[in-house]
């Protein structure tokens, strides 16, 4: 579908109708189940769709506006629908590379930062922007620029390494970046646990071999749970999980873009094997702050400097999390009671065991430990779903919701399950399950 990027729709609508307080929640897309996992992790496809450089251009009023100053590859011979979609995509990218607004000034020093954003199409498919904001080499005062890689593939660690190589080449010359990205584009995305080697020539250094390895566990390769554990207590993480699992509105605050994007990706990953299918903007550009007025579920990250503006917005109940101070600023009030207490305690024990463990865990070990605690929660709560799908002779399945809920013996567990089955993420998961019966041997 040519569609158009939901976040861009909000951005252009917001700019063209500034001052109006209208919202049109009916346009917020509902994601397709499995879109995230099946599209993002398939091996063999292109590493990326575009590399763009976004620079700050001074406008006549003295403010700076982000503009794309370099694009690779340049696409030609696109069909009309594809061309329109590309134009809308390229129009949205600068907003997310400089979400902090237009108040910039040239500087002599700037610490490079890495962050990512997500663009959601109206059909629920997503593209990720991996960004490295850096100060180009030179003398005197200059403005930071952003190198942004747009990809359908979710693998933050791998793309951070690619951006390291891009930054290294940028300090030599822009011309050295092109052959490296061309080599990357011609290489197939590796399967989980596999490595791809890129050859790259750098003047005065000769040919380098760059190895890019995917983690074995593909569903955790876009995640850094350590970022969450460093900023929030296990109790607060449970409150956030309780809000997310019932598809409420969640707002995260931090000043650093890297902190926002890492923590929000981590919260979304706690829901595995389910997928957050509502509005999802890890870093909200300044011009999109009225997203928080949306009456439908959302998970968004906002820079701390905008806190007062956000609190002044006429918003419905939401969980507001301060990642700088590690505290909840605003809550619905029942977060402690959403999850069955026995299972809450089991998750807390797992998270505290990790926190109190003196052995230093690798990032991958932390990811596996944290993910396992939450996967076990879902196994205990709804792991019996497959035995409550009734299959017809033609192979189509129908989920028996009442029997499924009745099969939960514990009253407290059943109370939670009855709420969870009404969520979009559970419905989408079951829709996929109803389609995916594997024919048994001898039965066609």
């Amino acid at each position: 579908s040519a569609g158009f990027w939901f976040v861009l729709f909000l951005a252009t609508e917001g700019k063209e109708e500034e001052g109006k307080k209208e919202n049109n929640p009916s346009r917020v897309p509902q994601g397709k189940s499995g879109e995230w996992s099946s599209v993002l992790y398939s091996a063999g496809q292109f590493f990326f769709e575009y590399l763009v450089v976004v620079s700050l251009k001074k406008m006549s009023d003295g403010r700076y506006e982000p503009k794309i100053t370099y694009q690779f590859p340049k696409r030609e011979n696109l069909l009309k629908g594809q061309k329109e979609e590309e134009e809308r995509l390229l129009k949205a990218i600068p907003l997310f590379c400089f979400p902090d607004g237009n108040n910039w000034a040239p500087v002599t020093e700037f610490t490079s930062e890495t962050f990512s954003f997500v663009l959601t199409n109206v059909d629920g498919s997503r593209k990720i922007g991996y960004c490295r904001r850096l100060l180009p080499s030179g003398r005197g005062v200059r403005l930071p620029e952003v190198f942004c890689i747009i990809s359908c593939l979710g693998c933050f660690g791998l793309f951070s390494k690619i951006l390291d190589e891009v930054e290294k080449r940028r300090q030599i010359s822009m011309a050295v970046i092109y052959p490296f990205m061309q080599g990357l584009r011609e290489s197939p995305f590796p399967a989980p646990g596999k490595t791809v080697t890129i050859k790259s020539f750098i003047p005065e250094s000769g040919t380098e071999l760059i190895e890019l390895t995917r983690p074995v566990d593909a569903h955790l390769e876009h995640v850094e749970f350590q970022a969450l554990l460093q900023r929030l207590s296990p109790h607060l993480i449970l409150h956030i999980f309780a809000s997310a699992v019932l598809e409420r509105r969640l707002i995260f605050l931090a000043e650093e873009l890297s902190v926002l994007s890492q923590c929000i990706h981590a919260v979304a990953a706690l829901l595995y094997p389910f997928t957050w299918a509502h509005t999802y903007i890890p870093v909200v550009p300044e011009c999109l702050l009225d997203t928080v007025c949306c009456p439908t579920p959302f998970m968004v990250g906002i820079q701390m400097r905008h806190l007062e503006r956000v609190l002044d917005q006429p918003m419905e109940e939401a969980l507001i999390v301060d990642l700088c101070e590690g505290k909840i600023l605003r809550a619905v009030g029942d977060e402690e009671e959403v999850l069955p207490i026995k299972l809450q305690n089991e998750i807390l024990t797992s998270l505290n065991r990790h926190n109190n463990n003196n052995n230093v865990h690798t990032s991958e070990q932390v990811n596996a430990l944290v993910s396992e605690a939450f996967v076990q929660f879902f196994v205990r709560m709804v792991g019996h779903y497959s035995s409550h799908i009734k299959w017809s002779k033609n192979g189509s399945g129908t989920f028996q919701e009442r029997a499924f809920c009745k099969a939960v013996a514990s009253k407290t567990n059943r109370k939670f399950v009855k709420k969870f089955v009404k969520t979009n993420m559970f419905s989408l998961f079951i829709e996929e399950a109803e389609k995916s019966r594997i024919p048994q041997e001898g039965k066609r």
Side-chain angles (χ1 to χ4, degrees):
S1 143
F4 55 72
W5 297 99
F6 153 60
V7 287
L8 174 61
F9 163 73
L10 281 179
T12 49
E13 181 111 311
K15 281 189 166 178
E16 286 161 13
E17 302 189 22
E18 222 146 18
K20 288 188 185 177
K21 290 288 179 191
E22 291 174 357
N23 245 319
N24 190 347
S26 63
R27 304 223 194 176
V28 177
Q30 306 304 310
K32 286 183 184 172
S33 174
E35 196 80 44
W36 190 246
S37 50
S38 63
V39 173
L40 293 191
Y41 302 125
S42 51
Q45 66 186 102
F46 279 138
F47 262 89
F48 68 98
E49 291 186 22
Y50 297 100
L51 167 72
V52 297
V53 179
V54 178
S55 308
L56 291 163
K57 296 292 177 192
K58 196 166 190 176
M59 311 310 284
S60 55
D61 61 2
R63 295 188 309 162
Y64 288 93
E65 195 147 308
K67 301 276 185 191
I68 291 177
T69 51
Y70 175 87
Q71 175 196 330
F72 169 77
K74 289 277 188 193
R75 294 274 174 84
E76 289 167 4
N77 306 321
L78 290 176
L79 299 172
K80 189 185 175 203
Q82 292 172 320
K83 190 162 179 57
E84 285 170 0
E85 181 158 340
E86 181 188 68
E87 283 169 4
R88 284 188 282 254
L89 174 66
L90 294 176
K91 194 176 170 189
I93 291 167
L95 287 174
F96 289 84
C97 290
F98 285 96
D100 351 41
N102 301 332
N103 297 322
W104 287 89
V107 291
T108 52
E109 286 183 18
F110 184 84
T111 307
S112 293
E113 55 185 338
T114 308
F115 58 97
S116 62
F117 60 83
V118 176
L119 299 175
T120 306
N121 201 0
V122 287
D123 66 358
S125 62
R126 289 169 172 172
K127 291 184 196 288
I128 304 176
Y130 298 95
C131 300
R132 176 70 53 87
R133 191 145 74 177
L134 55 87
L135 200 61
S137 58
R139 290 182 180 175
V141 293
R142 8 198 231 291
L143 289 158
E145 61 188 12
V146 175
F147 283 77
C148 175
I149 299 170
I150 299 291
S151 178
C152 290
L153 304 163
C155 193
F156 192 83
L158 206 63
F159 281 94
S160 293
K161 194 171 176 185
I162 291 166
L163 287 166
D164 290 343
E165 296 296 332
V166 168
E167 182 167 3
K168 190 163 81 178
R169 284 156 179 75
R170 175 65 183 103
Q171 305 312 331
I172 303 166
S173 156
M174 277 293 288
V176 192
I177 296 172
Y178 173 80
F180 168 67
M181 295 305 287
Q182 181 65 39
L184 188 67
R185 197 165 163 74
E186 288 166 0
S187 303
F189 191 62
K194 301 296 181 190
T195 299
V196 67
T197 304
I198 314 287
K199 281 186 182 179
S200 178
F201 177 78
I202 296 185
E204 294 179 23
S205 302
T207 300
E208 283 188 2
L209 296 178
I210 296 140
E211 291 194 339
L212 299 169
T213 304
R214 273 181 84 188
V216 175
D217 198 340
H219 91 268
L220 294 174
E221 63 187 335
H222 198 56
V223 184
E224 201 62 69
F225 283 129
Q226 193 71 59
L228 212 54
L229 291 164
Q230 283 167 352
R231 287 170 182 84
L232 299 170
S233 70
H235 258 104
L236 291 190
I237 291 172
L238 262 190
H239 286 188
I240 291 163
F241 175 69
S243 296
V245 87
L246 291 187
E247 297 183 329
R248 293 177 172 180
R249 287 170 286 277
L250 293 97
I251 299 170
F252 295 86
L253 296 154
E255 197 48 53
E256 293 171 48
L257 304 180
S258 54
V259 171
L260 284 174
S261 63
Q262 280 185 338
C263 288
I264 292 183
H265 289 315
V267 169
L270 294 177
L271 301 171
Y272 179 83
F274 301 93
T275 306
W276 181 267
H278 297 277
T279 303
Y280 180 76
I281 314 178
V283 179
V284 176
E286 189 177 20
C287 62
L288 292 185
L289 286 178
D290 63 357
T291 303
V292 299
C293 304
C294 201
T296 52
F298 57 73
M299 198 184 290
V300 299
I302 290 171
Q303 285 181 290
M304 188 58 82
R305 68 186 76 175
H306 302 310
L307 174 59
E308 287 196 13
R309 270 182 67 187
V310 167
L311 294 177
D312 285 345
Q313 300 277 1
M315 71 174 108
E316 302 198 18
E317 282 187 325
L319 186 77
I320 304 180
V321 183
D322 178 345
L323 294 168
C324 303
E325 298 288 328
K327 61 185 183 184
I328 288 175
L329 300 183
R330 192 180 281 182
V332 174
D334 64 348
E335 288 82 2
E336 195 85 50
E337 297 141 34
V338 170
L339 309 174
I341 199 76
K342 190 179 173 204
L343 292 176
Q344 278 193 62
N345 290 334
E346 285 178 17
I347 297 174
L348 282 174
T349 303
S350 286
L351 296 180
N352 284 321
R353 192 183 300 131
H354 158 69
N355 274 359
N356 300 332
N357 196 330
N358 294 325
N359 298 329
V360 178
H361 287 123
T362 65
S363 168
E364 284 190 15
Q365 286 170 328
V366 172
N367 283 349
L369 284 167
V370 174
S371 181
E372 179 63 16
F374 288 91
V375 168
Q376 281 307 312
F377 168 82
F378 286 122
V379 168
R380 296 274 295 278
M381 288 284 98
V382 296
H384 59 297
Y385 75 91
S386 58
S387 55
H388 292 278
I389 296 176
K390 194 173 181 181
W391 297 98
S392 66
K393 287 179 181 173
N394 67 5
S396 64
T398 308
F399 180 60
Q400 311 289 300
E401 187 181 302
R402 276 189 69 187
F404 168 78
C405 291
K406 275 180 86 171
V408 180
S410 152
K411 273 187 181 175
T412 50
N413 288 10
R414 197 182 316 135
K415 185 182 167 189
F416 168 80
V417 168
K418 281 183 172 177
K419 288 180 184 171
F420 185 58
V421 294
K422 301 300 179 194
T423 62
N424 203 12
M425 71 177 93
F426 185 78
S427 301
L428 293 170
F429 181 84
I430 289 298
E431 269 175 40
E432 290 298 306
E434 287 171 335
K435 292 180 210 158
S436 61
R437 190 181 199 186
I438 300 161
Q440 293 169 358
E441 287 298 316
K443 291 182 183 176
R444 295 285 172 210

